[in-house]
Amino acid sequence: MISQIGSLALNIASGLILSTFFFLFYYRFTKNKIFIDLSERAIIATCLSIILSTICLLNELLISNFNLQYVAQYTSYETPMFFKVTSLWAGQAGSLLFWSFIMSIYSLIYILSTLKRIKELKYPSYLILAFIFGFFLVLSNFIANPFEPVSLDIIVQNGNGLNPLLQNVTMAIHPPILYLGFVGTSIIFVMTLSALIANQINHKWISSIRLWALIIWTFLSAGIILGGYWAYNELGWGGYWAWDPVENSSLMPWLMLTAFIHSSIIQEKRGMLKTWNVLLASSTYLFVILGTFITRSGIISSVHSFTAESLGPLFFTFLLLLILLTGFWFFKRYRLLQSRDKIESFTSREGGFLYNNLILLIMCFIILWGTLFPIISEAWDGNKIHIGANYFNQLNVPIGIVLLFLMGIGPLLSWKNTSSSTFISNFSIPMILSFISGLFYMIFTDEFKIYPFITSMGIVFTLTSIIGELQKSFKSSYNNNSSLSKAILQLLSKNRHKNGGYIVHIGITLLFVGFVGRAFEVEKEFVLSPGEEIYFANHIFKLNNVTSEARDNHYAFISDMDVVDENNKYLTTLYPEKRIYFYWNPDPDKRQPHSELDIYSTMSKDIYSIFSSYDAQKNEAYFKIMINPLVNWVWIGGIVIVFGALFAFWPSSRRNYGTV
Amino acid sequence: MNKIYTSLILIFALVVLWTIYLTSIKEDEKIATRYYTIKELSLENQSISSVKVGGLVKPNSINISESNRLEVWFYVYQGEDSLQVYYNGTRPDLFKDDAEVVVAGKFDNNLIMATELQTKCASRYEGDLKNTNTI
């Protein structure tokens, strides 16, 4: 019954979208405002229907209604309740409905908040929203319907269950957070295209869209970092980023949105770069759809892409239509977007923002080219060429280092022009400290590597520059206030955008500390019997024992390995496990091995242990050990980034910080 | 056009050209590896230093060495065509019969000596209902 309500709600939502088009069509010719109100109500009703449908699917997942194919595929009676909820986005059909669900929530906020203030955008916004909703509803109703019943000749006693690797709290949080970022870009797109159509690329638009962009950027950043955290802690390959096409697909919109957040400041301050901002804001969503096309089409081989029904041609057509629509209105409004004001100096704050945009754009191009290269090369000469991680690292690492320095240079530049005296006084301390850090690097590092050397200088330069700027703000508020607490409060409540931005930049600099560590990673695979030990990378690994244990939903082989450092000081005991899920199943194909890692984590390094295999007859255990320096700084950087972004957009007063 | 805009466009154009040039040097194995179908490789007589192949693990073909459990031989297949693969290292958890894999390494004498073995990411693993308990 509930599943039928869910399915019906999806059908009703499609009908409501059709009626929205009708109302807008009538408004176009009659100019009668009642039709705008009707279309608004129709879209709100669409959103509510989608939300109802999602709740129905969630209910079916929770009560294990295996009459539905989706429920049987991704849950079982044994699946814990929490992971039954997360299976909502585990498969293609559920994740598409979940996409529409998030889009509904965003749309409701957009309609009931932003459009109440910028009424001029109502008509084009409803039109574009209806178009986007229409597309996703076609997918959910006709191509990948989560309410599809199982075939009549099958009676499902128990479902497949959720993959054990997905039964992890990080993996439960990562997809919805990333989706909040991905889907959120559609509101940025709707707002940009409707402002283009209504010719409203003005101050009201930029202050409102900037706040949307900051919120969505925060979700996107948190989603990407959580994905890396999950991969590192669960997948057992010792890394957090592999330049896989699907990973790249999430990074490209992030780069575009980051560029937009920076260049929008110039429009806010000086009314410039309108054309550029329109391009960046709309391309963010286009990159999201491109990424979705890559993930769901199978056109580019990726370990992350969906294997079931290919939605590629549909997403490709949708992407093409969006590009044509944006292109058409962009060229139509091009002249009206021009500004008379110009950026005069290379050494100005505006210039700094432009260099930042250039770097982000270059990174985005490099990633786009490398990701699409298999298709390009195949079309060119019939050979499908895979571009490996070396390509991305070779090009992006030096460019990333330039970006790191730019984060430190930007705050030291003045608006319009930086005089030579200001230049010298602002740059001298960061430069000196940066050189000193370079000297320390050369003295204290055994192995000289050029990129880590320059990066460590860049980290010190940027941190000094940003902390110096924060200190200046603090000094001025301290001078205005007699007490320290009042000065801190004033610093926190005033200039939130600017100070929040600085905190984000500190977070990104900390990410670079983690990236430096990657240059010094080492790994070894070896076999040990209980009582044996091995020396590797200045550590002794001694296997004490291997025990086994039957648990609730798996069988585990647990190793017990002491780690001692080069001074014979005991560091830790690692307990990596080899687990067999569904071990009770007589069909060996249905048993699922899983390596449960154990990581000894410190601020300077991680000792990452994987129990690769176990030969019970010979009592031999196979391990892979990695020494990964500075990885924790990546997660710390991620937390600081999210905190800084929250700080930047958290409104203390509506007047000062704009509204969504 | 403004001097700053011109310089930025020029820098961007140069990086674009450099990127295209870099990927056009297909001999550079560190950057580019050619995807082969199993059929294409089966017809190759010469050894190829860097190949990438995707396919399914042939059922009952996984042979783990008795002396070193990290060493494995198996066949990867696409339709009617199959090729033997040798890999020495920690295998992904999802590696089993009929698992979708991507292998990369050297091709010689009808054998792929893989240095990389990847299975479908767990986050995209789509269970097949045919395998579900049925009456």
Side-chain angles (χ1 to χ4, degrees):
Chain A
M1 177 65 182
I2 299 285
S3 66
Q4 282 144 350
I5 294 173
S7 185
L8 189 67
L10 267 184
N11 293 331
I12 290 171
S14 303
L16 286 164
I17 283 300
L18 267 179
S19 63
T20 309
F21 280 119
F22 265 114
F23 295 141
L24 292 170
F25 180 79
Y26 274 108
Y27 171 76
R28 179 85 177 85
F29 291 102
T30 61
K31 295 289 171 202
N32 187 344
K33 288 207 168 159
I34 195 156
F35 290 112
I36 279 286
D37 292 341
L38 283 171
S39 55
E40 181 177 301
R41 282 172 202 171
I43 290 203
I44 290 173
T46 306
C47 297
L48 296 175
S49 296
I50 291 169
I51 292 169
L52 174 68
S53 179
T54 313
I55 293 168
C56 290
L57 181 62
L58 198 58
N59 178 72
E60 299 308 274
L61 288 163
L62 291 173
I63 63 164
S64 298
N65 178 3
F66 298 134
N67 292 326
L68 296 185
Q69 197 166 327
Y70 188 80
V71 178
Q73 242 173 336
Y74 295 102
T75 60
S76 66
Y77 287 122
E78 293 80 20
T79 308
M81 209 49 108
F82 178 68
F83 294 112
K84 281 186 179 173
V85 176
T86 66
S87 57
L88 179 64
W89 50 82
Q92 179 110 280
S95 64
L96 283 171
L97 181 62
F98 186 58
W99 182 297
S100 300
F101 168 76
I102 294 176
M103 174 93 190
S104 302
I105 291 171
Y106 273 133
S107 302
L108 287 174
I109 299 170
Y110 178 63
I111 293 167
L112 300 174
S113 173
T114 310
L115 290 183
K116 292 285 174 222
R117 279 186 306 280
I118 318 180
K119 293 194 169 64
E120 301 85 346
L121 301 188
K122 278 190 172 184
Y123 167 72
S125 291
Y126 297 151
L127 201 61
I128 305 157
L129 277 174
F131 177 63
I132 296 174
F133 268 124
F135 172 74
F136 281 95
L137 284 169
V138 165
L139 295 184
S140 287
N141 272 303
F142 305 110
I143 318 284
N145 191 331
F147 296 100
E148 186 83 31
V150 287
S151 119
L152 285 172
D153 54 339
I154 298 177
I155 298 167
V156 182
Q157 284 183 325
N158 194 358
N160 275 357
L162 192 67
N163 191 300
L165 282 169
L166 301 184
Q167 296 186 27
N168 172 287
V169 178
T170 319
M171 197 52 195
I173 308 167
H174 154 67
I177 300 270
L178 196 60
Y179 271 45
L180 280 166
F182 277 162
V183 182
T185 60
S186 53
I187 298 296
I188 293 180
F189 179 80
V190 171
M191 230 179 137
T192 308
L193 192 55
S194 53
L196 254 187
I197 295 172
N199 195 19
Q200 294 291 324
I201 303 290
N202 49 27
H203 191 74
K204 227 165 148 186
W205 172 79
I206 197 77
S207 60
S208 195
I209 200 172
R210 222 180 107 70
L211 195 58
W212 272 104
L214 279 171
I215 295 168
I216 289 153
W217 185 90
T218 311
F219 284 126
L220 212 48
S221 309
I224 292 170
I225 290 163
L226 277 170
Y229 185 81
W230 171 75
Y232 184 75
N233 286 285
E234 279 296 309
L235 292 186
W237 54 276
Y240 43 83
W241 195 262
W243 296 111
D244 179 88
V246 172
E247 292 170 355
N248 295 347
S249 302
S250 67
L251 193 58
M252 289 186 283
W254 184 87
L255 290 167
M256 286 290 109
L257 197 55
T258 311
F260 172 70
I261 286 170
H262 286 87
S263 67
S264 63
I265 297 172
I266 305 181
Q267 189 179 333
E268 241 182 351
K269 292 257 179 197
R270 295 189 58 191
M272 297 162 67
L273 299 183
K274 285 181 185 171
T275 42
W276 183 237
N277 283 332
V278 163
L279 278 180
L280 286 177
S282 47
S283 65
T284 303
Y285 185 58
L286 300 178
F287 272 109
V288 166
I289 298 300
L290 175 73
T292 316
F293 163 67
I294 290 171
T295 318
R296 293 172 193 265
S297 68
I299 191 162
I300 294 168
S301 180
S302 158
V303 289
H304 293 280
S305 50
F306 280 92
T307 50
E309 318 91 36
S310 172
L311 303 178
L314 290 165
F315 269 101
F316 186 71
T317 313
F318 183 55
L319 177 64
L320 217 61
L321 287 172
L322 292 176
I323 292 172
L324 286 173
L325 203 64
T326 314
F328 173 79
W329 282 103
F330 178 77
F331 287 112
K332 198 164 179 189
R333 296 280 184 251
Y334 183 76
R335 282 192 172 190
L336 298 168
L337 296 174
Q338 298 306 305
S339 159
R340 282 183 197 164
D341 219 352
K342 283 210 162 54
I343 295 170
E344 297 89 6
S345 167
F346 279 95
T347 54
S348 61
R349 181 70 67 94
E350 301 90 310
F353 282 127
L354 280 186
Y355 308 142
N356 149 293
N357 268 225
L358 174 73
I359 296 293
L360 293 169
L361 201 68
I362 285 174
M363 288 177 109
C364 192
F365 172 78
I366 289 168
I367 296 167
L368 179 69
W369 182 259
T371 307
L372 297 181
F373 197 73
I375 309 174
I376 298 167
S377 64
E378 196 174 19
W380 183 255
D381 60 6
N383 291 329
K384 200 168 184 173
I385 306 289
H386 167 80
I387 295 293
N390 275 318
Y391 156 85
F392 294 101
N393 290 332
Q394 201 170 320
L395 290 166
N396 279 328
V397 169
I399 294 165
I401 294 172
V402 176
L403 187 68
L404 172 67
F405 274 97
L406 264 179
M407 280 196 304
I409 293 169
L412 306 179
L413 298 172
S414 313
W415 287 98
K416 293 206 170 178
N417 190 23
T418 312
S419 67
S420 48
S421 59
T422 314
F423 199 87
I424 292 165
S425 75
N426 284 353
F427 278 76
S428 50
I429 295 176
M431 290 277 272
I432 291 166
L433 289 175
S434 167
F435 279 117
I436 293 172
S437 73
L439 280 174
F440 269 98
Y441 178 92
M442 286 206 276
I443 295 165
F444 292 108
T445 320
D446 301 333
E447 196 182 351
F448 180 81
K449 291 185 177 181
I450 186 73
Y451 285 147
F453 168 68
I454 304 173
T455 309
S456 56
M457 286 174 69
I459 289 165
V460 173
F461 177 83
T462 303
L463 281 180
T464 322
S465 143
I466 296 170
I467 291 167
E469 285 303 299
L470 282 171
Q471 194 196 3
K472 272 184 208 166
S473 305
F474 176 73
K475 261 189 184 171
S476 78
S477 48
Y478 192 58
N479 290 340
N480 296 335
N481 293 283
S482 49
S483 79
L484 184 73
S485 55
K486 272 188 181 172
I488 293 171
L489 271 176
Q490 197 184 52
L491 180 74
L492 291 175
S493 60
K494 279 200 168 177
N495 269 328
R496 283 197 169 208
H497 272 163
K498 192 176 155 192
N499 292 336
Y502 285 152
I503 297 170
V504 169
H505 285 186
I506 290 175
I508 292 174
T509 312
L510 296 180
L511 284 186
F512 274 89
V513 176
F515 297 161
V516 167
R518 292 216 72 179
F520 299 97
E521 287 173 1
V522 283
E523 64 176 60
K524 190 177 176 76
E525 287 180 286
F526 51 83
V527 55
L528 289 177
S529 288
E532 287 181 344
E533 61 183 41
I534 193 164
Y535 181 79
F536 163 59
N538 301 328
H539 295 84
I540 296 162
F541 296 88
K542 185 184 176 190
L543 180 66
N544 298 320
N545 209 353
V546 177
T547 53
S548 59
E549 189 179 304
R551 294 175 183 156
D552 278 354
N553 61 349
H554 65 269
Y555 191 86
F557 293 98
I558 309 136
S559 63
D560 173 332
M561 184 162 46
D562 284 345
V563 185
V564 175
D565 74 4
E566 55 191 333
N567 302 318
N568 226 13
K569 186 186 154 207
Y570 168 82
L571 287 181
T572 185
T573 302
L574 294 167
Y575 301 99
E577 296 180 5
K578 192 80 192 171
R579 293 179 178 177
I580 315 291
Y581 283 84
F582 314 119
Y583 68 98
W584 54 83
N585 201 305
D587 179 2
D589 268 357
K590 292 205 74 185
R591 295 175 202 158
Q592 172 71 65
H594 168 65
S595 305
E596 187 67 21
L597 316 165
D598 196 7
I599 306 171
Y600 171 67
S601 198
T602 65
M603 296 312 284
S604 61
K605 70 181 170 219
D606 278 13
I607 301 177
Y608 190 95
S609 65
I610 308 156
F611 191 174
S612 309
S613 184
Y614 180 58
D615 187 336
Q617 278 180 335
K618 292 185 187 168
N619 201 11
E620 285 178 342
Y622 291 74
F623 295 98
K624 185 172 185 175
I625 301 286
M626 297 174 189
I627 310 287
N628 298 335
L630 306 172
V631 176
N632 261 329
W633 291 98
V634 175
W635 320 131
I636 293 170
I639 294 166
V640 175
I641 288 170
V642 173
F643 171 74
L646 284 172
F647 185 77
F649 70 68
W650 206 264
S652 61
S653 87
R654 285 180 159 235
R655 199 167 27 139
N656 288 346
Y657 307 112
T659 42
V660 169
Chain B
M1 193 188 273
N2 187 304
K3 259 196 283 184
I4 296 180
Y5 295 150
T6 317
S7 334
L8 295 182
I9 292 167
L10 264 176
I11 295 169
F12 182 73
L14 282 174
V15 177
V16 166
L17 288 174
W18 173 246
T19 310
I20 295 170
Y21 166 74
L22 206 67
T23 45
S24 67
I25 321 167
K26 288 167 190 163
E27 293 77 29
D28 192 341
E29 291 159 13
K30 280 184 181 168
I31 285 181
T33 314
R34 195 185 143 183
Y35 264 113
Y36 286 85
T37 60
I38 293 173
K39 191 169 194 168
E40 279 174 330
L41 270 186
S42 314
L43 300 172
E44 280 288 342
N45 297 321
Q46 289 175 327
S47 106
I48 306 167
S49 57
S50 178
V51 297
K52 205 162 180 107
V53 178
L56 301 172
V57 177
K58 198 171 180 179
N60 303 318
S61 74
I62 298 173
N63 184 6
I64 296 167
S65 161
E66 287 288 314
S67 56
N68 177 1
R69 289 186 68 82
L70 295 179
E71 278 189 315
V72 64
W73 284 265
F74 64 96
Y75 278 86
V76 60
Y77 77 97
Q78 284 169 343
E80 296 292 301
D81 309 296
S82 64
L83 267 178
Q84 196 176 22
V85 180
Y86 165 78
Y87 178 70
N88 184 2
T90 301
R91 294 178 290 281
D93 286 330
L94 294 177
F95 176 77
K96 58 182 180 183
D97 283 356
D98 269 326
E100 219 176 316
V101 291
V102 176
V103 293
K106 188 181 173 186
F107 175 74
D108 194 17
N109 234 345
N110 271 326
L111 174 75
I112 302 168
M113 278 161 288
T115 48
E116 249 179 63
L117 168 63
Q118 288 181 309
T119 51
K120 208 77 184 166
C121 173
S123 62
R124 294 292 176 265
Y125 177 78
E126 305 229 327
D128 184 353
L129 211 55
K130 281 181 288 186
N131 294 331
T132 312
N133 295 334
T134 56
I135 295 172

